[in-house]
């Protein structure tokens, strides 16, 4: 009789009850490496306008004061990438609050129809001469004014604003640029005068949704003057007419 201690039978692989094959433990799933950060994407004009809209809404709601609104708007229009735009609205709501329906405006008194607004090139260049933009004309989001031994006159008092923000880039070399705006829009500016002058008479409109005109650039042996024209009020404003 064998009195040796009983030994455990050798371990056998587990069998699948259905197929009888050995049931194997699936191999561990390898961990994937995090994707590399994408390069900074360039911002489009539409991206900058979207951020500017959010900033204007925040200013109207009292979330930003005048200085904060002006600084962020300036940074928005100077941004080159989406990464530069993102911090400007990080602490602000991304959507506008729903507004209560507004009553229909009273019909305007009948009068003679206005002539169609003229279309001008966004570039006003005067070299040993002059260039003028005035009357009833369509104003987009950007105007470039270049005066070299000449003068450029930009009159926005009777213009049709098609953008809530108008940026005017000024270069005056031995020349001058004059900008006139209605008294019920906001006017801000920043520029450099080198042996010349760069004078922007800033104002902030009472209506936070009023269009904003920004003048920037440089005057070298020349000058730039931007000011509101008293008694002139903006009447045609596409943003307000469409109730944006």
């Amino acid at each position: 009789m064998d009195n040796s201690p009983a030994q455990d039978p050798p371990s056998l692989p587990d069998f699948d009850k259905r197929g009888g094959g050995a049931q194997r433990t699936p191999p561990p799933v390898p961990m994937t490496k995090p994707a590399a950060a994408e390069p900074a994407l360039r911002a489009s004009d539409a991206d900058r306008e979207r951020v500017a809209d959010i900033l204007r809404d925040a200013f109207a709601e009292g979330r930003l004061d005048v200085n904060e609104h002006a600084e962020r708007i300036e940074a928005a229009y100077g941004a080159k990438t989406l990464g530069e735009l993102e911090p400007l609205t990080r602490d602000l709501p991304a959507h506008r609050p729903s507004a209560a329906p507004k009553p229909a405006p009273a019909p305007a008194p009948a009068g003679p129809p206005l002539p169609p607004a003229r279309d001008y090139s966004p570039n006003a260049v005067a070299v040993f001469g002059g260039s003028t933009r005035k009357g009833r004309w369509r104003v987009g989001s950007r105007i470039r004014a270049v005066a070299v031994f000449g003068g450029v006159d930009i009159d926005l008092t009777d213009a049709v604003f098609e953008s809530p923000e108008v940026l005017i880039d000024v270069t005056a070399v031995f020349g001058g640029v004059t900008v006139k705006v209605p008294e019920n829009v906001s006017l801000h500016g920043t520029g450099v005068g080198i042996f010349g002058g760069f004078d922007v008479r800033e104002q902030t409109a009472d209506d936070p949704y009023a269009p904003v005109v920004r003048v920037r650039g440089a005057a070298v042996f020349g000058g730039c003057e931007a000011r509101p024209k008293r008694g002139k009020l903006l009447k045609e404003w596409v943003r307000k007419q469409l109730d944006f």
Side-chain angles (χ1 to χ4, degrees):
M1 183 175 181
D2 187 1
N3 294 327
S4 59
Q7 296 182 353
D8 294 334
S11 59
L12 297 176
D14 295 333
F15 289 91
D16 192 317
K17 295 180 180 180
R18 294 174 295 178
Q23 183 180 10
R24 298 179 180 178
T25 304
V29 179
M31 297 187 65
T32 58
K33 295 182 180 180
E38 294 183 359
L41 296 178
R42 303 285 292 186
S44 66
D45 288 341
D47 294 325
R48 286 183 278 268
E49 290 292 347
R50 173 181 54 80
V51 171
D53 284 341
I54 296 176
L55 295 175
R56 277 189 297 273
D57 291 336
F59 176 58
E61 296 164 5
R63 301 179 191 273
L64 298 176
D65 59 29
V66 174
N67 293 331
E68 291 172 328
H69 176 255
E71 291 174 0
R72 296 197 189 191
I73 283 288
E74 186 71 23
Y77 280 101
K80 301 297 183 183
T81 65
L82 295 179
E84 296 175 17
L85 290 174
E86 192 274 335
L88 301 178
T89 58
R90 183 180 298 162
D91 57 347
L92 300 175
H95 303 285
R96 300 176 188 167
S98 57
K102 298 180 181 180
L114 293 173
R118 293 191 298 272
D119 289 321
Y120 282 123
S121 167
N123 301 318
V125 180
V127 179
F128 290 99
S131 178
T132 302
R133 301 284 190 273
K134 68 178 182 178
R136 190 166 181 267
W137 60 292
R138 299 180 184 276
V139 178
S141 61
R142 192 164 188 173
I143 301 172
R144 292 179 177 86
V146 179
V148 180
F149 291 97
V152 175
D153 184 13
I154 299 175
D155 190 342
L156 302 175
T157 55
D158 292 318
V160 180
F161 282 69
E162 295 187 330
S163 173
E165 296 272 351
V166 180
L167 177 62
I168 303 178
D169 281 317
V170 172
T171 302
V173 181
F174 291 98
V177 176
T178 301
V179 179
K180 302 182 186 72
V181 304
E183 63 177 355
N184 60 338
V185 305
S186 295
L187 175 63
H188 301 289
T190 173
V192 178
I194 303 174
F195 295 103
F198 204 102
D199 181 20
V200 179
R201 301 182 190 178
E202 296 191 340
Q203 68 174 16
T204 300
D206 295 333
D207 183 356
Y209 286 101
V212 178
V213 178
R214 299 190 176 278
V215 182
R216 70 181 185 186
V220 182
F221 290 99
C224 173
E225 181 184 16
R227 58 184 175 83
K229 189 172 182 179
R230 300 306 172 191
K232 278 291 191 177
L233 298 177
L234 178 64
K235 299 177 182 178
E236 293 184 271
W237 172 13
V238 171
R239 176 182 171 89
K240 198 167 187 177
Q241 289 174 352
L242 297 180
D243 194 22
F244 284 171

